[in-house]
Amino acid sequence: SKTNLDYDKILSEIGDFGPYHLRQFIFICFAVFVGSGFLFTFVFTASDLNYRCLIPECENASHTTYMTPWLSNAIPFNDKDPSKCERFSTINNNNQQSDFNCFNQNISKFIDEKKCEEFIYENDEVTILKEWNLTCAPNKWKLTLVGTINNIGQFVCFPLTGFLSDRFGRRLVLTIGTFAAGIIGLLKSFSVNYEMFLLLEFLEPMIGAGIYATSLILATELVKPGKRVMALCVIDTFYATGLAYISLLAMIFHNWRTFLRVYYAPTLLTISYFWLMTESVRWLLSKGDSSKAINILSKMAKANGKPDPTETLEQLESCSINNEKSDEKADKRESLKDVLKHPFLLLRIANCSFCWLTVVFVYYGLSLNSVTLAGNKYLNFISVSLIELPSFWLNYIIVERLGRRKTLCGGLICSGLACIFYELIGGEYFWIQLLLFLFGKFSISLSFSVLYVYTSEIYPTNLRQSLLSVCSMFGRIGSMIAPQMPLLALIWAPLAVVLYGTVSLLAGLLVLRLPETKNIQLPDTIEEAKFLKQTDKNFASSIVSGN
């Protein structure tokens, strides 16, 4: 479109990344940093704890420890840990306490779970399990349900956020989403019962889960094509460090209520974005609001120490006048209904949705099937969060050389092959299996990194976040399915990993049907999105022919 061409031209004149862009990026990255926890605080608030039965015949609840010398006489052990909910039956009915021989192990004994009415915890950590006594098997589903409810909230959020962002603007959705989710997070810390906590756990991601996607759209629309992948890497870096920050706070504040209050308090600062941030110029131009776009561009030039590009701004104002004379045409801007009229776009959405489902499914599946790391759970979470940083920046190097599609295709195929060879190698080659598993996880992480920016580039501006959110919504289906994969082992032990490998290979091949977007101007209309395919239609055939 004319306005979009002018916008890219103006970026060259007033600086494509100056102080103005830096300030906007700081605001965007802060929202990503504080918003990453909207999807992951439940890892610590609803985490399981180490606990055992209180043995009233042998100890007093206020003067005892988790491990005692006589404990093996009173409670069965699983390896080196005492059973959480089982204890040996009492041999005598008196309440006389003994230091070493509360129970006589030589006498026949049986498990009696009814005796476990009170529990002794390993440390002073307080989660909803301890506060609301969600202990033992009958209550275990209540802990796992928290994560499921969070994912359902995300599933609802993505299409809603996309529609609102494309209709009312990126800044509005980012500001209200972050601030409102922060308020809900604080309210969650005052939950009076499990039901209230669960309701707020659903509402929080339903409002705030789209922050990352909105931030990415804002960032990619702020810069020129050559800097989009760099923008993604910076945002991903703040996202990963935000996850590590969550674990650090949980390590310091062991009470889940205090942890939530300390974490969510800074999110309230984002209400200032209504005055500190500006709307996406590209979005304003796509909506025909050239007057606001011109005002922002003038501020951008001043902040970057550049003169106003007067001639180009006059052209934009002329476009604005023309738009005002054609209000009837402006009212008929492309909407989601128009997508149904274009089969190529429907096929592209279906392809991207399957790719999203695969990447999220395999990413979470491999994470859940990985061997539990020994040691401090907080440090483990920090390590798992920060280990993805190298894949983000390697992604930047590869994408700028090979392009989006080749990188995404390669990451999916490498992950798929790693999963399949993981099973073919066999358990006797432990270190080779471990390396293959890590390589598979690294490859799918790289694919995840490029997928966001790639999906945002192949759709028109008016529908960009709506269609990105549709694809991302299908990804949430993958994250909801992944926890159930261990059940497939009951049918055939390697079935889950083979499934990861198969869908990865299939998605990697289907990606070749999508257009390349490296250094290509973002499309503003459906016709421009179709032109992407026309300019790149011979790529798949060149891959097949080996050229």
Side-chain angles (χ1 to χ4, degrees):
S1 66
K2 176 67 176 174
T3 55
N4 197 50
L5 287 172
D6 288 338
Y7 176 61
D8 287 329
K9 177 183 176 182
I10 292 172
L11 281 181
S12 299
E13 294 181 25
I14 64 178
D16 57 356
F17 200 89
Y20 171 88
H21 299 82
L22 179 60
R23 186 178 66 218
Q24 297 300 307
F25 256 87
I26 290 174
F27 295 144
I28 293 172
C29 290
F30 177 75
V32 171
F33 180 83
V34 298
S36 59
F38 297 164
L39 313 182
F40 286 98
T41 54
F42 74 87
V43 173
F44 299 105
T45 58
S47 65
D48 200 359
L49 300 174
N50 288 330
Y51 56 90
R52 64 168 177 83
C53 297
L54 171 70
I55 311 297
E57 301 90 344
C58 307
E59 58 187 338
N60 186 298
S62 58
H63 298 90
T64 190
T65 59
Y66 178 69
M67 297 295 292
T68 63
W70 48 262
L71 198 59
S72 60
N73 286 347
I75 295 177
F77 272 63
N78 300 316
D79 293 328
K80 296 182 180 180
D81 299 316
S83 175
K84 290 185 174 182
C85 302
E86 298 174 333
R87 55 161 291 179
F88 295 135
S89 62
T90 307
I91 293 176
N92 52 55
N93 293 324
N94 62 53
N95 290 325
Q96 296 178 356
Q97 298 182 4
S98 170
D99 291 335
F100 292 95
N101 295 303
C102 282
F103 300 156
N104 188 346
Q105 281 188 299
N106 295 321
I107 297 179
S108 176
K109 53 202 175 185
F110 58 90
I111 305 301
D112 182 3
E113 294 187 33
K114 294 182 181 179
K115 295 291 184 179
C116 295
E117 297 177 354
E118 295 182 70
F119 300 90
I120 300 298
Y121 291 85
E122 184 178 27
N123 52 46
D124 63 346
E125 183 179 2
V126 179
T127 67
I128 63 171
L129 177 148
K130 185 174 182 178
E131 181 155 335
W132 293 320
N133 200 30
L134 305 179
T135 53
C136 302
N139 290 309
K140 193 172 183 63
W141 65 272
K142 293 184 179 180
L143 294 179
T144 58
L145 182 62
V146 174
T148 302
I149 290 296
N150 186 284
N151 273 280
I152 294 174
Q154 296 177 46
F155 183 83
V156 174
C157 170
F158 287 119
L160 181 63
T161 299
F163 170 78
L164 294 175
S165 175
D166 286 337
R167 183 71 180 271
F168 301 107
R170 320 316 194 191
R171 182 189 63 169
L172 179 70
V173 170
L174 178 67
T175 304
I176 293 180
T178 311
F179 180 78
I183 291 290
I184 293 174
L186 287 173
L187 289 175
K188 188 167 62 175
S189 73
F190 292 96
S191 297
V192 296
N193 52 42
Y194 174 78
E195 290 74 20
M196 178 180 175
F197 178 89
L198 207 62
L199 174 63
L200 295 174
E201 187 66 45
F202 169 77
L203 293 176
E204 181 188 343
M206 190 189 79
I207 294 175
I211 290 172
Y212 178 89
T214 306
S215 299
L216 177 63
I217 296 294
L218 260 174
T220 54
E221 292 182 346
L222 182 64
V223 298
K224 295 180 70 175
K227 289 186 169 58
R228 291 179 205 149
V229 179
M230 171 65 81
L232 171 68
C233 291
V234 172
I235 288 176
D236 282 343
T237 298
F238 276 85
Y239 181 81
T241 52
L243 294 180
Y245 173 67
I246 297 171
S247 186
L248 181 62
L249 286 183
M251 184 191 306
I252 298 172
F253 302 101
H254 288 181
N255 188 295
W256 69 275
R257 295 183 185 273
T258 306
F259 159 65
L260 289 181
R261 291 164 192 169
V262 173
Y263 176 75
Y264 285 106
T267 64
L268 304 186
L269 296 174
T270 57
I271 193 65
S272 63
Y273 284 12
F274 278 121
W275 302 276
L276 298 177
M277 283 191 71
T278 55
E279 184 54 84
S280 166
V281 173
R282 200 180 296 273
W283 178 82
L284 289 171
L285 293 176
S286 74
K287 293 295 182 181
D289 197 346
S290 298
S291 59
K292 288 184 180 179
I294 291 170
N295 183 43
I296 293 174
L297 289 170
S298 297
K299 293 179 179 179
M300 190 185 301
K302 183 177 180 180
N304 290 343
K306 303 285 185 178
D308 275 359
T310 307
E311 182 179 345
T312 310
L313 290 179
E314 289 176 352
Q315 293 176 10
L316 280 178
E317 194 156 9
S318 175
C319 290
S320 178
I321 294 173
N322 291 334
N323 285 335
E324 290 173 5
K325 292 179 179 180
S326 57
D327 286 337
E328 188 174 328
K329 182 178 179 180
D331 290 337
K332 296 181 180 180
R333 294 186 182 279
E334 294 166 340
S335 66
L336 288 173
K337 293 181 181 179
D338 296 310
V339 173
L340 301 176
K341 304 174 184 177
H342 298 272
F344 88 92
L345 197 53
L346 291 174
L347 290 174
R348 188 176 296 180
I349 294 170
N351 196 340
C352 282
S353 296
F354 179 72
C355 187
W356 267 91
L357 190 151
T358 298
V359 170
V360 177
F361 170 62
V362 175
Y363 178 86
Y364 281 96
L366 291 181
S367 299
L368 295 174
N369 280 276
S370 62
V371 179
T372 302
L373 297 175
N376 187 292
K377 68 177 182 180
Y378 305 107
L379 296 179
N380 290 343
F381 192 87
I382 291 173
S383 300
V384 169
S385 301
L386 298 182
I387 198 63
E388 296 190 20
L389 292 179
S391 71
F392 299 153
W393 293 99
L394 179 63
N395 172 49
Y396 171 69
I397 298 172
I398 296 176
V399 166
E400 290 304 307
R401 286 166 172 74
L402 299 181
R404 280 70 158 145
R405 180 172 53 183
K406 290 181 182 179
T407 303
L408 181 57
C409 172
L412 284 165
I413 290 178
C414 286
S415 180
L417 291 175
C419 289
I420 292 175
F421 279 110
Y422 173 87
E423 286 300 332
L424 292 178
I425 288 296
E428 61 270 20
Y429 300 101
F430 170 76
W431 289 108
I432 297 178
Q433 274 198 319
L434 180 60
L435 290 174
L436 285 170
F437 180 86
L438 293 175
F439 180 68
K441 180 69 185 299
F442 180 85
S443 298
I444 204 66
S445 298
L446 188 146
S447 299
F448 213 159
S449 180
V450 71
L451 187 58
Y452 259 106
V453 69
Y454 186 38
T455 309
S456 70
E457 291 176 338
I458 60 178
Y459 296 129
T461 300
N462 279 343
L463 303 172
R464 182 166 296 126
Q465 187 157 358
S466 295
L467 297 183
L468 170 61
S469 297
V470 168
C471 297
S472 185
M473 180 184 67
F474 277 92
R476 291 307 106 190
I477 296 177
S479 68
M480 287 188 283
I481 295 174
Q484 309 304 320
M485 286 302 101
L487 297 178
L488 294 181
L490 300 176
I491 303 173
W492 182 43
L495 185 55
V497 178
V498 171
L499 184 60
Y500 298 145
T502 303
V503 294
S504 293
L505 292 174
L506 179 58
L509 293 175
L510 289 175
V511 164
L512 297 177
R513 303 294 301 174
L514 297 173
E516 179 55 66
T517 57
K518 177 185 176 184
N519 293 328
I520 292 178
Q521 180 182 302
L522 291 176
D524 277 338
T525 65
I526 291 179
E527 281 302 312
E528 291 178 4
K530 184 177 181 180
F531 181 72
L532 289 177
K533 186 174 183 179
Q534 294 173 343
T535 58
D536 199 47
K537 60 184 178 181
N538 294 323
F539 178 81
S541 60
S542 68
I543 291 292
V544 174
S545 63
N547 296 330

